Amino acid sequence: MTLTLGFTDPLATELSTSGGKGASLAKSAQNLPVPGGFIVTADAYAQFVHPLQDRIGELMDTEHPAEAIGDLIRSTPVPDTWLAEFEAAAKAAELSGQAVAVRSSGTMEDLPGAAFAGQHDTYLGVRGTEAIAEAVRDCYASLWNPHAFRYRQQLGVAQLDAKMAVVVQLMVAVGAEESAGVAFSVDPVRGNTDEVLINAAFGLGETVVGGEEPVDEFRIARADGTQVAAEIADKPKALVMGEPAEARNVSDGDHDDHGGHDSARTTVVHLGEDQRMRPALTAGQARTVSELSVLAEDHFGFPQDIEWAFSGDDLFLLQSRPITRVAPRWTRDESAERFPTPVTPLTWDLVEAGFHYSLNHSFDLMGLPPFDDKWFVMRDFYIYGNQTAVDLYAGRLPTKMLSSVETITESLPEIASQFGWVQELPVRWMRDLDTYLMGIGKLSHEPLEDKSLAQVWDHVIAISDLGTEYFRPNIAISLTQQTLYGALSHMLEMALDKETAQVVFERLLASTETKTSQVNAELWELSRTVRSNPELVSTLRSHTGKAGMAVLDDFPAFFDEFATFLAKHGHRELDFDAYHPTWIEVPHIVLDQVRLLADRATNASADSDLERKVLQAETERAVINAAPEKLRYLVQEVIRLARVYTALDDLEHYQTTRLTLPMRRALRELGQRLVDQGVLTDPMDVYFINYDPLDAAIRAADTADRAGASAGASADADDGQHSPSCADDGQCSPAEALAGLSAIAEKNKAGYQEAVARTPEWEHGRAPEVGDDTDGDFFKGTAGSPGEVTGEVFVVHSPEDFSSFPDGAILVARTTNPAWTALFYQASGVITESGGALSHGAVTARELGLPAVMAVRDATSRLTSGQTVSVNGSNGTVTPS
C-alpha cells in the first residue's frame, strides 16, 4: 500500500484519503498557485496505529485517555520503510532539502456541524526526511489532543473512527518585510457578500491564523478591487523562518524561538517602530489577494476562506476551505411564503431540527458544503430567514458547464457523473414513500388512552422523528426544481433573446400534472354536482360557513361524495402550523370553496388544458429538433426532469401534510392530560410551551410518578411559582414538576396573539424605510403572471374570509396555498406579500390567465378591501388609483 500521494493525484482529492485540509489543497493545486507537496494518507495512519489498537482500547478506559494515547503514539518509532517513501515523495514534489510545513488533516474536518480548525497540530520549517517522519507521527498524536478528544465527544463521534492524514508542503519563505494572512471571498463578519475581507500581518501567516496577535484588516470591493476600508494595527512581532539548527544565530535577544521539537524552525522577530504601524499590504497587493480569493471561489464553486502568503513578488495559496458561517441578516424574503403567519413555539421546535437536517443533506447531494448555522429562526413568533446565507448559497448552478454549445458537449461526462443523482432521486423518493405512509398509518391508529403522560409525549416525538426522516430529501427536491428551471432557462437563452426564451420556457412547462391540479379537478367535479341541483345551490348560498354543513343531511348523495373527498384529502392544511386544523376538521371551509366554484358555469383551466398540452408537445419537439444532435438527449432530459420535479415538489408537500392529523391527535391528548393536571385550561395551549421545558417537565413528572411521589403533594404547593430546580432534582411530585409550564404557555400565548394582530417587520430589528419597495406612485413586486387588470381589492386574512370574497375582486393575501384555489376562480387578479414565479399563487394565476404580482411587502396592511388598484403582472407593479 502506498503511503503518500502527490497533490495532483486524483485520489488525493478524496476527504477519506487526504482529510479536509489535504483534499482541499489537492483540489486547489489543479488550477491555483499552491506550493508543491504531498499527502501522507489516512490509510497510512491506520497502518501506523494498527499494532497499537489493543493498547489504545485499554487506554480508552483510563482516567485521561487522550493524553495517554497521544503519549503512546509519540513514543512509537516510525518504521524505517516509511523513510524511503517519504524521501521519494519529497523528491517528486521538489521538496528535497527545503523547509516544509507538516500539517494535520483529519478525515472529520469539514463534516456537517464539525469545525476542527485549531484542534490538531501543525509543524513549520521542518527539514529532512527523518524530521518529516517525526512531525508526521506527532500529527498523528495530535489527533488525540484532549480538546480534540472532547470535541468529538460533543459531536457524538466514535473516537476510534477518527483518522489522520498529513499534508507535507513547501514552506513559503516569508520574510519580516513580507506578509501573509487569510482572506474571505465574502465578508462573513458583516454578512456582506460583495466585499472580500482580508486579515494580514508581516511574516508567516500563523500569527493571523492563530488569532493571538494584532492584524491589519482590509475590505475590498469584489466588483472592481477598490479598497472600501482598512484598519491598520500596531504589529509588534513577525514570525519568520528560522535558520537550520547548525547555523542558528540568536545573539541579541530580539528573537523568540518557536515551532515544536526543533526550536530553530521558526523565529519571532520584533519589528521596528516605523514598520509596526505600516500596512502589511499595499493597495496593489490587497487587490491581488482579493482576486485570488475570488479565483478560489470560482474554482470550488462556493465562497472560500483562504490562507495566502507573499514571497518576493509571488503570491501563494496555502489553504482553501468553504465559508459555512456568516453574520446573519434576518429577513422575511426567504420565509414569508413558507411561513406567512405566526408559528406556535412547540410546532417550530419540533420541525426546526428536521429542516436543518434536510437542508444539509440536500447541500451534500448538490455538492455544496454544509451550512453550520441557522437558516431559519423564530423571532417574535414569526419565522425569519438568514438572507446572508441565502445569498451565499444562491446561484450555485454550474453555469461554466453550460456557457456554450462546445462547453456543454465537452462537459457531458462530468454532467452525467456529477448530477446522476438528479435522475435517481425521484425513484428513491417514491420507493421510500411506502415506509413513511405505513408509519403514518401505524401512529394514527395507536391507542393513546392507556398511555402515561410520558408515553404520549414519546408518541409525539415518534411522529416528529418519522417526519424528520421522511423530509430528509425534500428540500433537495425543491432546490433541484429551481436548479433545473435555471438550467433550462440558461440553455434557451443561449439560442434565443431573453423574452422569447421565457415564452418558450413557459410553454415547455405549461401542462405539468400535479397532485394539486388533481385535487382541484375533484373539487370542480363536486361543484358540478352542486350546480346540477338548484335546490342544493340555493341552500348553500343561504347557509354559508358552518351553517352549510348542518344542512347536508338533506342531500345524502352529495354528502357521501363530499365525505369521500375529505377522506382522501382531508389532511390538507390551511396553515403550516399544526396548531391550525386541516380540511377534515373544518369541512365548512372546503364546502364554501365548492359553493364558490358552483357559481362558475365553465372551468377556464380545464377548457384550455388540451390546448396547453398540444402547445407543450409542439414546443418541445421544436426545441429538441433545433438543438445540436449531440445535445438532444441532454436537452430532452432537462425538460423531462423539470416537469418531474415540478410534480414531485407538489406531491412531497401533499404527503408531508399527512403528519398533521396524527400530530394534532397526539398533542390534543397531551394537552388534555395537562388540563387534567391543572396546568392548562385549553388542551391546544400545549402548542405554546417550548420543547425543552416541556420535555424536562414531563421527564421529571414521570420520574416522580415512578418513584411513588405522593399524588396529593401538589395540594401543599405554594402559589404555583416553583423553583426550576424542582424538575431537575427529581424530588417533586408530578404536579409540582409540571406546574412551571403554566406561566410559559400563558406568556407565549399572549405574545402569539399579539403577533397575529400585527404585520411583522420585513427585516428583523430594522424599521422599514420610505421607498423600500415603492417607485413613485406604485408598489414594486415580482412578476408572477402576465396581464393587466384594474379593479377593487379584497384582502383575505384567513380561510374564514373565503365565504365573503366578492366575484371579480382582486385577491390580496400574505400568501396562498391549495386551500385557496377556489378564490382564484372568483378573482380578476392576484397580489401576495411573498413568493415568486414558482409559488402556488403565481402558478395557479398563470393557469387561469389572471394577472398576478408577488412579493409586494405589507400588501395586506397597505391595501384595504374596496380600494381600486391597477395590477400589471408583466412588470410586477401595483398602482393604487
Side-chain angles (χ1 to χ4, degrees), residues 345-372:
L346 184 55
T347 290
W348 182 246
D349 288 348
L350 286 169
V351 304
E352 182 186 16
F355 175 85
H356 287 98
Y357 173 57
S358 173
L359 186 73
N360 278 329
H361 172 75
S362 303
F363 286 158
D364 182 58
L365 279 176
M366 302 181 80
L368 296 173
F371 185 63
D372 295 335

Side-chain angles (χ1 to χ4, degrees), residues 186-452:
V186 299
D187 185 345
V189 178
R190 299 166 185 81
N192 196 336
T193 56
D194 58 9
E195 290 179 5
V196 173
L197 177 66
I198 302 171
N199 289 159
F202 291 111
L204 297 170
E206 272 61 31
T207 56
V208 180
V209 176
E212 297 175 357
E213 296 291 337
V215 298
D216 294 343
E217 178 178 283
F218 303 88
R219 290 160 54 197
I220 309 298
R222 285 172 58 109
D224 57 11
T226 57
Q227 184 170 290
V228 177
E231 294 182 16
I232 307 305
D234 182 354
K235 304 172 288 296
K237 302 174 183 178
L239 184 70
V240 299
M241 292 281 293
E243 299 174 5
E246 63 273 16
R248 182 160 61 96
N249 180 13
V250 182
S251 59
D252 57 9
D254 286 341
H255 297 71
D256 300 320
D257 296 324
H258 173 76
H261 55 265
D262 180 354
S263 62
R265 290 174 179 172
T266 58
T267 301
V268 173
V269 177
H270 296 271
L271 302 178
E273 290 295 329
D274 62 330
Q275 187 178 356
R276 290 170 58 148
M277 291 300 298
R278 194 170 74 213
L281 291 173
T282 66
Q285 287 175 323
R287 179 195 292 262
T288 304
V289 172
S290 173
E291 290 170 349
L292 178 61
S293 73
V294 175
L295 279 174
E297 176 180 320
D298 291 343
H299 177 70
F300 285 99
F302 198 81
Q304 295 290 298
D305 161 9
I306 68 169
E307 295 179 24
W308 54 269
F310 274 106
S311 182
D313 294 329
D314 295 323
L315 175 62
F316 293 95
L317 177 71
L318 307 180
Q319 188 171 323
S320 187
R321 65 175 71 87
I323 296 172
T324 57
R325 285 185 184 271
V326 289
R329 183 168 64 89
W330 300 113
T331 79
R332 298 275 291 160
D333 292 46
E334 181 75 358
S335 62
E337 182 182 357
R338 291 182 177 91
F339 315 109
T341 57
V343 177
T344 55
L346 184 55
T347 290
W348 182 246
D349 288 348
L350 286 169
V351 304
E352 182 186 16
F355 175 85
H356 287 98
Y357 173 57
S358 173
L359 186 73
N360 278 329
H361 172 75
S362 303
F363 286 158
D364 182 58
L365 279 176
M366 302 181 80
L368 296 173
F371 185 63
D372 295 335
D373 215 331
K374 299 278 190 181
W375 195 271
F376 286 127
V377 295
M378 178 184 284
R379 293 285 186 268
D380 302 326
F381 300 94
Y382 280 94
I383 307 304
Y384 285 82
N386 185 340
Q387 193 58 39
T388 314
V390 173
D391 294 342
L392 199 69
Y393 281 80
R396 298 299 161 188
L397 176 71
T399 51
K400 285 183 179 178
M401 291 189 285
L402 304 176
S403 58
S404 67
V405 171
E406 293 76 16
T407 305
I408 296 175
T409 303
E410 293 172 2
S411 302
L412 284 176
E414 185 180 354
I415 292 171
S417 171
Q418 189 173 341
F419 298 100
W421 62 268
V422 175
Q423 294 171 305
E424 298 167 4
L425 181 57
V427 177
R428 292 204 309 268
W429 187 90
M430 291 300 298
R431 179 198 65 201
D432 295 339
L433 179 61
D434 286 345
T435 302
Y436 166 69
L437 294 178
M438 287 188 292
I440 288 285
K442 177 179 179 295
L443 292 167
S444 297
H445 294 90
E446 190 171 325
L448 302 179
E449 297 77 10
D450 296 330
K451 291 183 181 292
S452 67

Side-chain angles (χ1 to χ4, degrees), residues 514-525 527 565 572-574 583 589-590 592-598 600 602-606 650 653-654 796 798-799 802 805 807 809 811 813 815-830 832 839-850:
T514 66
K515 191 66 179 180
T516 295
S517 65
Q518 294 171 14
V519 175
N520 290 345
E522 292 181 42
L523 275 173
W524 179 258
E525 289 306 313
S527 76
F565 175 85
R572 297 231 74 165
E573 84 287 8
L574 299 176
W583 282 6
I589 290 178
V590 184
D592 279 337
Q593 293 189 67
V594 175
R595 175 182 57 79
L596 290 171
L597 289 173
R600 315 300 296 180
T602 60
N603 183 349
S605 177
D650 183 72
H653 178 79
Y654 175 87
V796 178
S798 77
F802 287 0
F805 191 85
D807 190 32
L811 169 63
T815 191
T816 66
N817 64 37
W820 297 55
T821 299
L823 297 188
F824 285 74
Y825 289 87
Q826 300 287 106
S828 59
V830 179
T832 64
S839 66
H840 169 268
V843 172
T844 305
R846 288 197 297 272
E847 287 181 358
L848 297 176
L850 301 178

Side-chain angles (χ1 to χ4, degrees), residues 82-101:
W82 286 34
L83 299 180
E85 183 157 350
F86 286 175
E87 186 170 354
K91 183 176 180 180
E94 299 182 353
L95 303 181
S96 299
Q98 301 288 328
V100 299

